[in-house]
Amino acid sequence: MPPSSPKATMHDVSRLAGVSKMTVSRVLADPDLVSESTRNRVMKAIEQLSYVPDRVAGSLSSRRTNFITAILPTLTNSNFADTAQGLAEAMRPADYQLLIGYTMYRLEEEERIIRAMLARRPDAIVVAGTTHTKAANEMMLRAGIPIVEIWDTPEHPIDHAVGFSNYEVGRAAALHLLALGHRRIGALGSRMDSDAKDLRGESRLAGFTSVLREAGLSDELVIRAGQAPVSYDHGALTLGILLEQAPDVEAVFAVSDISAVGALMECHRRGIKVPGDLSLMGFGDFDIARQCVPAITTIRIDAEQIGRRTGELLLQVLDRSSAREYAPAAAVNVGFELVTRGTTAPAGKPR
């Protein structure tokens, strides 16, 4: 687990903000009772110090609470739900329970959830993603509990990591389309200039465009529109933008099967034959991708395995902690699989 450093106290916050401890307590309990200027000073001091209010009795310092915090982008995505299920199943035999928060792809919301969860003394934190705000990073580094970042393989994890390389997923998608002989190739992603950012999807696009450039092709057909999380509407919208820009596009990679399904439906509406006129592939291997006609070529991730491997890793780390043994950082790469189905085919005559 990450090394712990002295935790900030309410006294530290009050001293930095220039107010009494009672005022700090009021800001945390009922901020409307405090003037806006005072409230802002206190919150700024809390952020600077990475202060986490302790809402659990101090006597718990030597005992476990037997719950694990899991912070996910959304629960409407079946893959993240499967990860939570796998984690819960792995931890259940040791009588651990999950306390789940979801961020809707907003880093500021992730920071708020981490602060709120740490106040309840979880035995470990599992967080989807490897990019965090400065304050969130500091809180997790100083928490003194196991931290597991999932759904990616960071070069420098906070503590432990379980996932796969989203960058390599994007590269695999581009290589597949190139191997089929396509040269006018596009991709569908979401905007990165809003509060909600799909950082893992953007990493897939980065891997995808790197292969296009290596092949001497332009990445001008990589479309970023709409806001995360992506949806069926997002797929239809971004494909429409792409077709306006490049009616002769031959192949498209969507950062999610959900977006790919929307794109496929838009092709049906426009009379574009898939894969006769356009090859299409997605990511995630969602149920609906298998049920589409034609079924969607995709990159399969074993989402439940990510949760299960995370739970198994945590049980080992927590067991060592109980025995006061050092648990070295671990990185588990679960890999991914290219699944070819009916929406991709060798390049034919241009439309």
Side-chain angles (χ1 to χ4, degrees):
M1 69 185 68
S4 59
S5 53
K7 295 182 181 179
T9 65
M10 188 177 291
H11 175 72
D12 296 329
V13 174
S14 67
R15 185 171 56 186
L16 182 58
V19 299
S20 68
K21 289 170 65 176
M22 181 63 72
T23 300
V24 175
S25 180
R26 282 179 181 151
V27 169
L28 293 170
D30 197 345
D32 291 337
L33 295 178
V34 185
S35 70
E36 183 178 0
S37 61
T38 300
R39 186 168 65 243
N40 288 340
R41 287 208 317 275
V42 171
M43 293 308 297
K44 185 177 180 180
I46 287 173
E47 182 176 346
Q48 281 184 244
L49 295 169
S50 296
Y51 170 67
V52 177
D54 188 359
R55 295 194 176 98
V56 182
S59 62
L60 285 177
S61 60
S62 61
R63 292 191 292 133
R64 288 188 174 165
T65 55
N66 277 79
F67 78 82
I68 305 296
T69 289
I71 303 173
L72 304 170
T74 175
L75 293 180
T76 60
N77 181 314
S78 63
N79 273 345
F80 290 125
D82 287 346
T83 294
Q85 180 67 26
L87 176 58
E89 291 292 338
M91 303 297 290
R92 183 174 290 116
D95 200 29
Y96 282 97
Q97 301 297 323
L98 292 190
L99 190 59
I100 299 176
Y102 65 97
T103 66
M104 291 306 293
Y105 294 88
R106 291 177 169 84
L107 293 181
E108 292 74 14
E109 180 64 10
E110 178 189 88
E111 177 187 324
R112 188 193 70 79
I113 293 171
I114 290 171
R115 193 184 306 278
M117 294 296 191
L118 282 175
R120 289 159 177 80
R121 297 280 189 91
D123 291 331
I125 290 179
V126 176
V127 57
T130 59
T131 301
H132 319 283
T133 67
K134 180 181 178 182
N137 258 317
E138 290 176 351
M139 283 189 287
M140 288 189 284
L141 283 168
R142 299 170 66 173
I145 59 175
I147 308 294
V148 185
E149 294 167 291
I150 61 173
W151 274 84
D152 214 332
T153 51
E155 186 176 353
H156 302 291
I158 291 175
D159 192 12
H160 308 282
V162 178
F164 57 94
S165 172
N166 283 281
Y167 185 84
E168 291 300 328
V169 163
R171 288 186 61 84
L175 289 169
H176 176 62
L177 296 178
L178 284 171
L180 292 173
H182 300 298
R183 290 298 177 268
R184 288 287 281 168
I185 301 174
L188 311 177
S190 57
R191 292 166 47 196
M192 296 297 289
D193 59 354
S194 63
D195 291 339
K197 297 180 177 65
D198 182 4
L199 296 166
R200 287 169 299 282
E202 183 63 22
S203 183
R204 283 169 227 141
L205 290 184
F208 190 85
T209 56
S210 73
V211 170
L212 295 185
R213 294 192 191 107
E214 289 167 10
L217 301 178
S218 170
D219 62 358
E220 64 182 357
L221 302 186
V222 176
I223 305 298
R224 294 172 176 86
Q227 184 171 300
V230 297
S231 62
Y232 303 129
D233 287 342
H234 171 270
L237 167 71
T238 48
L239 182 69
I241 294 172
L242 174 58
L243 289 172
E244 284 185 17
Q245 183 175 331
D248 59 341
V249 64
E250 300 170 9
V252 175
F253 167 60
V255 295
S256 168
D257 281 352
I258 300 300
S259 187
V261 169
L264 179 61
M265 296 303 104
E266 184 66 13
C267 285
H268 290 336
R269 283 189 288 269
R270 292 175 180 243
I272 297 172
K273 297 177 183 177
V274 178
D277 297 328
L278 178 73
S279 282
L280 175 67
M281 65 181 302
F283 164 83
D285 194 25
F286 290 86
D287 286 344
I288 192 168
R290 295 192 288 271
Q291 298 303 320
C292 285
V293 179
I296 295 175
T297 295
T298 190
I299 305 285
R300 174 183 292 157
I301 300 297
D302 192 335
E304 186 177 357
Q305 184 189 23
I306 292 175
R308 189 168 58 252
R309 295 288 294 275
T310 299
E312 293 166 356
L313 172 62
L314 279 176
L315 289 178
Q316 295 173 11
V317 172
L318 291 167
D319 187 54
R320 286 192 175 191
S321 298
S322 295
R324 300 188 179 280
E325 296 178 7
Y326 172 67
V332 179
N333 192 330
V334 301
F336 57 85
E337 178 188 0
L338 173 66
V339 181
T340 55
R341 297 195 180 109
T343 55
T344 52
K349 294 181 181 178
R351 289 197 307 277

